[in-house]
Amino acid sequence: MGNVNSAKHHQPSDQNIIFTNNVGEAIDSIVGEIKPSKLFVLVDTNTDVLVLPRLAAISKAVESATKIVIKAGDEHKDLDTLAQVWSQLSENGATRESMLINVGGGVVTDLGGFAAATFKRGMAFINIPTTLLGAVDAAVGGKTGINFNNIKNQIGAFRQADAVVISATFFDTLSQHDLRSGYAEMIKHGLLESPEVFNRLIDSDVADIDTNAMLNLLQESVLVKKRIVDADPTEKGLRRALNLGHTIGHAYETLALERHSPIPHGYAVAYGMLTELVISHMQLGFPSDTLQRYAKYVAESYSSFNFSCEDYPNLLAYMAHDKKNASPERINFTLLEQVGKIKIDCIVGQQDIKTALDITRDLMGI
Ligand code: GLY
């Protein structure tokens, strides 16, 4: 088990991440060190049923905590839900010395982290991600917040959890889609890190990995993100590397939503990385054999996302709306010269993006 250090409270970097499949023991050990005056556990309507009883059976801290339940789903990551959490903390006597244990996916850890960061100007919180996507991305790195005015994550704060306990214990509650969705963010970390990490991931099928092997892969993957976030906690530069696949991925996600047939976030990222690797090939000479291997992996594991050239204007408009872009003519990307060789802040023109969308459709066979 990693170091548990309560003195890390409020520091923006140097995250305390514990990798273990003995989650109960890890939580009780952290709580024993921080010694909060009162404990709260935040779950959503899914983890309340699927995870909390299992966790309460193995952790005295969780068993004794006051429970707060929010509705599951990104549509509830909003001000109303946040206000409900604040109210329950207030009505149940939370103070700055209390601690919130967030048990769930990205909605719970983002909203719970923000509730804890703001309640009485900040109380302790720990994240227990229960989804693969949450474990490799949302629960780590200190981005907390809610959606506001139809804009995702518009209100929030950078605030590291006092500890994050990463485990594969609860992944048996996830669907194949959920697993594959999270795995795409792991592949992103592999692309950012090295050919070894990338190859290990795309040579495996997430559906066949057992809990212990998954914990090793999780550790390798999360430490890629940790190193990037520790170097640039507030996203002034290097952290933008974590946007690989997301500029176009978010556009695919939005298009799917507009068509009323949403796709999981990680699937959109998997398709987005394909198009961004095409651009990397066009602009930076990213090797075509690696691009072809990745394209084959996407076709086998994520099927394809159907779009035509009639969708290009909308896709470009969604990319242009991304907060990182100064002008619609000049869209900002993280690209790769090769696996592990990152180039942030690459400005790409609309014509090149359209060409990359054409090539993506060819590679997907649509
Ligand atoms: N999800 C990207 C980041 O944490 O910066």
Side-chain angles (χ1 to χ4, degrees), residues 137-138 140-141 143 158 185 188 225 229 235 239-240 242-243 246:
D137 193 17
V140 175
K143 283 186 178 175
F158 284 108
E185 294 282 357
K188 179 190 80 178
K225 175 162 182 179
V229 172
E235 203 167 351
R239 187 167 181 164
R240 287 185 216 138
L242 296 171
N243 290 327
H246 283 65

Side-chain angles (χ1 to χ4, degrees), residues 8 102 165 183 211 250-251:
K8 303 258 166 77
N102 297 318
V165 181
Y183 205 63
T211 313
H250 281 149

Side-chain angles (χ1 to χ4, degrees), residues 106-146:
V107 172
V108 171
T109 57
D110 279 14
L111 186 144
F114 189 57
T118 46
F119 189 81
K120 305 256 184 195
R121 300 199 175 88
M123 56 189 273
F125 72 98
I126 63 175
N127 287 339
I128 319 297
T130 57
T131 64
L132 181 52
L133 189 60
V136 291
D137 193 17
V140 175
K143 283 186 178 175
T144 70
I146 55 165

Side-chain angles (χ1 to χ4, degrees), residues 125-202:
F125 72 98
I126 63 175
N127 287 339
I128 319 297
T130 57
T131 64
L132 181 52
L133 189 60
V136 291
D137 193 17
V140 175
K143 283 186 178 175
T144 70
I146 55 165
N147 305 328
F148 184 68
N149 249 352
N150 291 325
I151 299 178
K152 285 178 75 110
N153 302 318
Q154 184 163 217
I155 305 296
F158 284 108
R159 167 66 204 284
Q160 300 290 352
D162 292 81
V164 183
V165 181
I166 303 279
S167 98
T169 308
F170 302 113
F171 293 177
D172 57 1
T173 63
L174 304 178
S175 68
Q176 284 279 326
H177 270 85
D178 292 334
L179 283 172
R180 292 201 189 283
S181 187
Y183 205 63
E185 294 282 357
M186 291 174 77
I187 293 172
K188 179 190 80 178
H189 293 156
L191 282 166
L192 295 173
E193 179 69 6
S194 68
E196 292 72 31
V197 179
F198 172 66
N199 290 338
R200 212 176 345 272
L201 291 166
I202 69 163

